[in-house]
């Protein structure tokens, strides 16, 4: 087994907001599933603005997936989709903040996301930003609150929608200054599922959210260059087991011969609907994080992971590891992912998981 410390050379800017965020008191991914004791939505002690307006209505949750995955293709796609490299979808982009600490009930809809980002939040825990484009007829959840990382990252997609459950005033203000469309005030699309309670039962129907949202732009490339085959892949080092530790948050994948299966406690993870959480690409992107001026109720700082800057990156596909660098010049700009020769890294057509690994994280590969 080899262990590599993740590093980044991103330039960072201090954020001077000071607010109070409710504690995220769940256990990390690798630990046994916790009970529901945490507050659902972070709040600000200096703001009278409500942190979430999601209606308290309840709805029976779906037991089966409502749409299928995009077809795998072996022949070149004439007009590939910018987010998957597969069949072009005319859908807009919808990002969803999804809890990544509570596992008494499985997550909803994550397997159908085209791109999933793993971000560090307060207490060393992680949350997901699941980006949907190909499949919008989905029930997703549990939906959680916004962070400043989201405001810096999501404009790379152009004008996407963001599904979330509110947040502290600092992250809300950061989001409001971007192109991202805030859907948290919608009276349709959000509902309380009957499969969980407390902080972990807010779900969303993406088709309903999109039907009630205007101003979204078509999907654009965020910097992925797709290649079904590439000679560089065979020359990469073997990588069948990947484990990225971010303080209390652990993200692991295992190569199953055709894709990377997301793992937890030695078992492959699946959605509540039964679909496995698989990745054709796993990208470990080294970033610099820093406290953003927001704290939870026990004094733990919330962090912004900077996605404007540059750093090291490793692309895992087909059981191999390809080293390179990433860069992004502005919040409205897209990413560049290059190998040591300055050529675009070859992403495999399909789904991609991106782990935003801060300077305190480390990666183990075998």
């Amino acid at each position: 087994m080899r262990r590599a410390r993740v590093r980044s050379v991103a330039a960072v800017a201090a954020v001077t907001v000071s607010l109070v965020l409710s504690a995220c008191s769940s256990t990390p991914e690798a630990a046994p599933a916790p009970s529901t004791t945490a507050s659902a939505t972070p709040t600000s002690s200096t703001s009278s603005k409500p942190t979430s307006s999601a209606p308290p209505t309840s709805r029976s949750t779906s037991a089966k997936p409502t749409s299928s995955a995009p077809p795998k293709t072996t022949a070149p796609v004439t007009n590939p989709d910018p987010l998957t490299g597969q069949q072009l979808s005319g859908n807009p982009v919808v990002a969803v903040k999804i809890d990544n600490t509570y596992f008494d009930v499985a997550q909803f809809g994550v397997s159908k996301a085209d791109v999933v980002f793993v971000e560090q939040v307060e207490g060393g825990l992680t949350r997901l930003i699941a980006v949907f484009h190909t499949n919008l007829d989905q029930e997703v959840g549990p939906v959680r609150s916004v962070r400043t990382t989201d405001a810096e990252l999501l404009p790379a997609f152009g004008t996407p929608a963001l599904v979330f459950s509110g947040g502290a005033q600092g992250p809300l203000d950061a989001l409001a200054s971007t192109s991202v469309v805030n859907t948290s005030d919608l009276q349709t699309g959000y509902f309380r599922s009957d499969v969980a309670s407390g902080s972990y039962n807010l779900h969303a129907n993406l088709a309903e959210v999109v039907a009630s949202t205007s101003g979204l732009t078509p999907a654009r490339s965020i910097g992925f260059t797709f290649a079904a085959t590439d000679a560089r892949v065979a020359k990469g080092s073997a990588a069948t087991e990947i484990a990225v530790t971010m303080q209390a948050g652990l993200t692991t994948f295992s190569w199953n011969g055709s894709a990377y299966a997301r793992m937890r406690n030695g078992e492959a993870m699946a959605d509540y609907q039964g679909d496995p959480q698989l990745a054709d690409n796993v990208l470990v992107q080294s970033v610099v994080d820093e406290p953003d001026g927001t704290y939870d109720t026990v004094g733990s700082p919330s962090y912004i992971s900077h996605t404007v800057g540059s750093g090291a990156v490793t692309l895992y596909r087909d059981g191999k590891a390809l080293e390179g660098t990433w860069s992004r010049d502005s919040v409205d700009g897209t990413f560049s992912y290059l190998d040591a020769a300055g050529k675009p890294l070859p992403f495999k057509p399909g789904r991609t998981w991106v782990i935003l690994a801060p300077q305190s994280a480390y990666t183990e590969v075998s």
Side-chain angles (χ1 to χ4, degrees), residues 101-194:
T101 60
Y102 172 72
F103 294 102
D104 280 354
V105 177
Q107 296 162 326
F108 279 70
V110 173
S111 68
K112 294 298 191 293
D114 294 305
V115 185
V116 180
F117 294 89
V118 182
E119 65 172 342
Q120 181 171 285
V121 293
E122 62 280 355
L125 302 175
T126 61
R127 284 193 183 165
L128 304 182
I129 310 171
V131 179
F132 295 83
H133 168 55
T134 304
N135 298 287
L136 296 183
D137 187 16
Q138 294 296 316
E139 178 181 352
V140 297
V143 176
R144 299 302 299 271
S145 53
V146 70
R147 294 294 186 273
T148 49
T149 296
D150 313 330
E152 186 170 302
L153 169 65
L154 290 176
F157 291 89
T159 306
L162 178 59
V163 172
F164 66 100
S165 63
Q169 197 61 50
L172 286 171
D173 289 344
L175 186 71
S177 68
T178 72
S179 61
V180 179
V181 177
N182 179 343
T183 71
S184 65
D185 290 334
L186 290 179
Q187 297 303 306
T188 58
Y190 289 80
F191 62 95
R192 296 290 175 181
S193 170
D194 58 3

Side-chain angles (χ1 to χ4, degrees), residues 239-331:
T240 57
E241 306 292 333
I242 307 165
V244 182
T245 301
M246 292 190 280
Q247 297 184 41
L250 174 64
T251 304
T252 60
F253 288 90
S254 180
W255 175 249
N256 65 13
S258 60
Y260 282 102
R262 187 184 177 204
M263 307 295 291
R264 179 174 181 265
N265 295 337
E267 296 184 357
M269 294 183 65
D271 291 343
Y272 181 89
Q273 296 96 323
D275 296 310
Q277 296 183 5
L278 303 174
D280 297 287
N281 306 286
V282 176
L283 190 73
V284 178
Q285 183 168 335
S286 299
V287 299
V288 169
D289 70 2
E290 64 176 340
D292 66 0
T294 303
Y295 296 85
D296 67 17
T297 55
V298 298
S300 298
S302 179
Y303 286 84
I304 176 172
S305 292
H306 288 286
T307 53
V308 173
S310 61
V313 71
T314 304
L315 172 64
Y316 300 93
R317 59 164 288 183
D318 296 315
K320 298 287 187 178
L322 303 175
E323 305 293 338
T325 60
W326 71 270
S327 64
R328 183 176 175 223
D329 295 333
S330 66
V331 170

